[in-house]
Amino acid sequence: MNLHIQNEMKKQYNMNPSVLYKCLYGLSIILLLFAACKKNENQPVKEPVSVKEYYPNSGAQGTLVTVLGKGFGDKIEVVSATFSGKDARVISVTPDAITVQAPVNGQSGDVVIKVNGEALSIGKYTYQELSVQKIDPANGGAGTLMRISGTGFSSLSGPAKVFINDKEANVVSAKDTLLIIQVPAAVGSGPVKVVVNGKEASGQSFKFQSITAIKPLTGGKGTRVRVNGSGFETLAAGNYVDFNGKAALVQEVAEDHLVVVAPDGVTTGPLSVTVNQQKVVGPAFTVVAAPVITNVTPLSGPAGVLMTITGTTFSTIADENKVNINGVNVPITSVTATKITLNIPGNTGSGKILLSVNDQLAQGPDFKDQTLGISKLSPENGLAGTRVTITGTGFNTTASQNQVTFNGTAAKVESATATSLVVIVPEGFTSGPLKVTVAGIMALAPKDFNRSGIITVAGGIGSPDLKLDNFNIGGLVSDSKGNLFVMEPDYHRIKKITPDGKVTLFAGSPSGTRGDSDGQGSAASFSFGYNMGISIDANDNLMVSDSKGIRKVTPQGLVSTFATGLGNSYKSTVTDGMLYVQRGSYSGYWKIDQNAVKTGLNTGGYSEDNRPVVNGNLLYHVNSNGGVIDVFNLTTLQTSSNWVTGLGAVSALVYDGQGNIYIGGRSDNAIRKVNIATKEVTIVAQFSPGSNIDGAFSDAKCGNISDMTIDKQGNVYFIDATNNAIRKVFFK
């Protein structure tokens, strides 16, 4: 020990030499132990030696044999090998591979390698002509062509047989030193074995690649997809994954699966995995729009309340949808493509509702964790005086202790229980939120309560203004100024109805005389047959079907003959200056341009009761069998049948210009709406059968719904021929 330290210890602690020696000896031992520990800390942990496989297992003297494994190090001088006890030359050493050469004049038997004195018996080597020395590629999927290089493949007694993982493969080509084989389906990973004249030789193992499934099958940018299969590399960089040709990020790897993220610009198509330049193709990944939340009910409530989320593009597989409230995940109880239900667990706190469908997010409204909540309104719309039942939780059983407002206008509460209120819609209210307040706590209804209902705008039973026939139904259209035009088929004339309900003769004979004369207003004449129709163009010109052809009526009432030679013509529609008219064969349309040049379209059978709808390059019409809408592509001239089914007896179609088709139901007095993008069908209004009683949807009655039209404000008008009336349905 340093002499300076010894002298200092003598001074500081006044120790005698004997005691000082003992102290110094102990301190020396401690320092030695500390140094030893430091040395061990810096020394790397040695990886144990292990052998995975070797190849080939046969061949002539001098054949190179590769041993794959771990822990071999990189020092050739500490590695040795013997073949049946005879020393073999070690050619190269890496941490995971050793290459040795079968010794000259060796004998068949065990191959043993030693690494740092540790002996490992790796298997047997047979001295023979037959040898499998190389396979290329060493990985791939079913159908891959593999080249097997070696010796001794020729035979006069029978062709060579090749097995992968003990499953026989088809030999495509054979030479003495080269075999070409096709990898069988579902062969799995394992050694490649060649059998010739009863002799066997095994070579390198083949890694079989496959994609057995992907989940989910739908999504979009950012969707995490699990790819199940085989033959994947355990390093992410070794696996190249693409979605229909677009490279994706690999997040997680294992031999039997990968987790990847759908890239920007992902398109519908197959998912593929490439390993060592060998590509396997899996199922198609279908790109779908992000989910949309249209409604959540209730927006507040206590633990145990059932919440319903409605919208579009939900997954029908429950675990592909995730909902959280205020950051708390809430288990889902049931799911369809448009509806998710879940039980509120309580203690979520108040906050935003978020829905994730295959990692695509939709944000909903806020939810309040409280006792007061509204789950349902019945009805959900109406006029002043309508009786509305509010269902929910946390109401005061004393009616006067519950304050209810319709878009800020206070309503009278007739009766109350803890779970329901009955209120009367107040005079002067407007469409908007319905709120209930109890003891200072406020709850919001899931949907706005809309001022909506039905009124008669013209006619009625016994009215002299209109003469509508319940059997021979004509057509109804609206112009840009809010005027309505309706055909009176049995009287061969057209009536005009102004926004204030005034009815006048617009074109045709005042006496109802049949004819084909062109002229101004009442000087003109028409000849209407069964189920003829009327449509209107962007300049408010009427295009009217009659026995002469197509007659054009200007906004000033001037009638002219537009197109002839059509045969029988029925309902029609005008889109982008092009007129589409049902032709008499009941199996197609005339497409007529602004110069009256016509082209026949063979669309398949249609129902002559209903005008078609054209949106873009697609024509929608009711199939001749009824209750089904077919779609005809105006570009490809192909029909897609059964686009929407189960509609019952349909009496009218009309497009709202906002991506929706409204459908009139003759059999059930219902007006349905079809979202073109999702094909979701909803009933937006339904009336009891009877005379033309106006009011809220729940109270109104009508005879039947015939041809319909829609104005720029979204109000729907229809012919109620049973009641000789034109009815208006307003939703807000």
Side-chain angles (χ1 to χ4, degrees), residues 45-53 67-75 78-80 93-98 112-122:
V45 177
K46 181 182 178 183
E47 185 175 16
V49 178
S50 63
V51 173
K52 181 181 179 182
E53 66 170 312
V67 181
L68 300 180
K70 296 291 183 183
F72 298 151
D74 56 5
K75 296 179 179 179
V78 299
V79 177
S80 62
V93 176
T94 68
D96 53 11
I98 297 172
V112 177
I113 62 169
K114 288 185 179 181
V115 180
N116 288 317
E118 182 180 349
L120 293 172
S121 179
I122 65 169

Side-chain angles (χ1 to χ4, degrees), residues 13 20 27 57 78 82 85 92 107 160 173 258 300 380 388 416-417 423 449 474 489 509 530 590 614 706:
Y13 301 105
L20 177 60
L27 181 59
N57 71 342
V78 299
T82 59
S92 65
Q107 295 182 349
S173 174
L258 304 172
S300 61
E380 295 179 338
V388 178
T417 70
V423 300
F449 186 90
S509 170
Y530 177 70
W590 290 116
V614 176
S706 298

Side-chain angles (χ1 to χ4, degrees), residues 458-483:
I461 296 175
S463 170
D465 293 336
L466 294 175
K467 299 292 184 182
L468 303 176
D469 190 301
N470 193 38
F471 176 72
N472 187 8
I473 304 299
L476 176 69
V477 294
S478 58
D479 70 8
S480 61
K481 299 176 179 61
N483 299 300

Side-chain angles (χ1 to χ4, degrees), residues 593-634:
D593 67 15
Q594 295 177 357
N595 297 315
V597 176
K598 63 181 183 292
T599 305
L601 301 174
N602 296 316
T603 63
Y606 61 78
S607 169
E608 70 273 15
D609 295 341
N610 312 273
R611 80 176 75 230
V613 162
V614 176
N615 179 34
N617 69 329
L618 299 177
L619 181 149
Y620 302 82
H621 66 176
V622 178
N623 187 285
S624 56
N625 295 322
V628 173
I629 296 179
D630 293 341
V631 182
F632 179 75
N633 190 306
L634 296 166

Side-chain angles (χ1 to χ4, degrees), residues 206-395:
F206 176 78
K207 182 180 281 189
F208 181 72
Q209 290 173 246
S210 68
I211 299 175
T212 56
I214 67 172
K215 181 178 171 61
L217 288 166
T218 61
K221 168 190 170 184
T223 298
R224 283 168 50 90
V225 178
R226 180 183 171 105
V227 184
N228 292 328
S230 63
F232 305 134
E233 286 291 314
T234 54
L235 293 177
N239 305 278
Y240 176 85
V241 180
D242 69 88
F243 286 70
N244 199 26
K246 194 82 172 177
L249 173 67
V250 179
Q251 280 193 335
E252 181 182 315
V253 295
E255 289 189 355
D256 63 348
H257 77 271
L258 304 172
V259 176
V260 298
V261 180
D264 290 352
V266 61
T267 57
T268 296
L271 182 148
S272 304
V273 178
T274 302
V275 177
N276 295 328
Q277 300 182 330
Q278 297 301 308
K279 182 176 184 177
V280 290
V281 180
F285 178 81
T286 302
V287 176
V288 297
V292 175
I293 296 174
T294 57
N295 186 245
V296 177
T297 176
L299 294 176
S300 61
V305 166
L306 182 69
M307 174 181 283
T308 301
I309 302 173
T310 56
T312 59
T313 335
F314 302 161
S315 174
T316 55
I317 301 171
D319 66 1
E320 293 182 2
N321 308 273
K322 293 178 173 55
V323 177
N324 73 59
I325 300 174
N326 194 36
V328 177
N329 288 325
V330 181
I332 292 171
T333 57
S334 68
V335 64
T336 70
T338 57
K339 184 169 73 172
I340 293 172
T341 61
L342 46 96
N343 284 303
I344 299 300
N347 298 318
T348 61
S350 299
K352 194 68 67 181
I353 298 169
L354 291 178
L355 168 64
S356 170
V357 179
N358 293 331
D359 302 305
Q360 297 192 90
L361 292 176
Q363 181 172 289
D366 286 345
F367 176 81
K368 289 185 178 181
D369 184 12
Q370 61 184 28
T371 57
L372 184 64
I374 302 172
S375 58
K376 182 181 178 182
L377 303 178
S378 180
E380 295 179 338
N381 48 64
L383 303 176
T386 301
R387 182 172 277 99
V388 178
T389 299
I390 305 171
T391 303
T393 58
F395 302 143

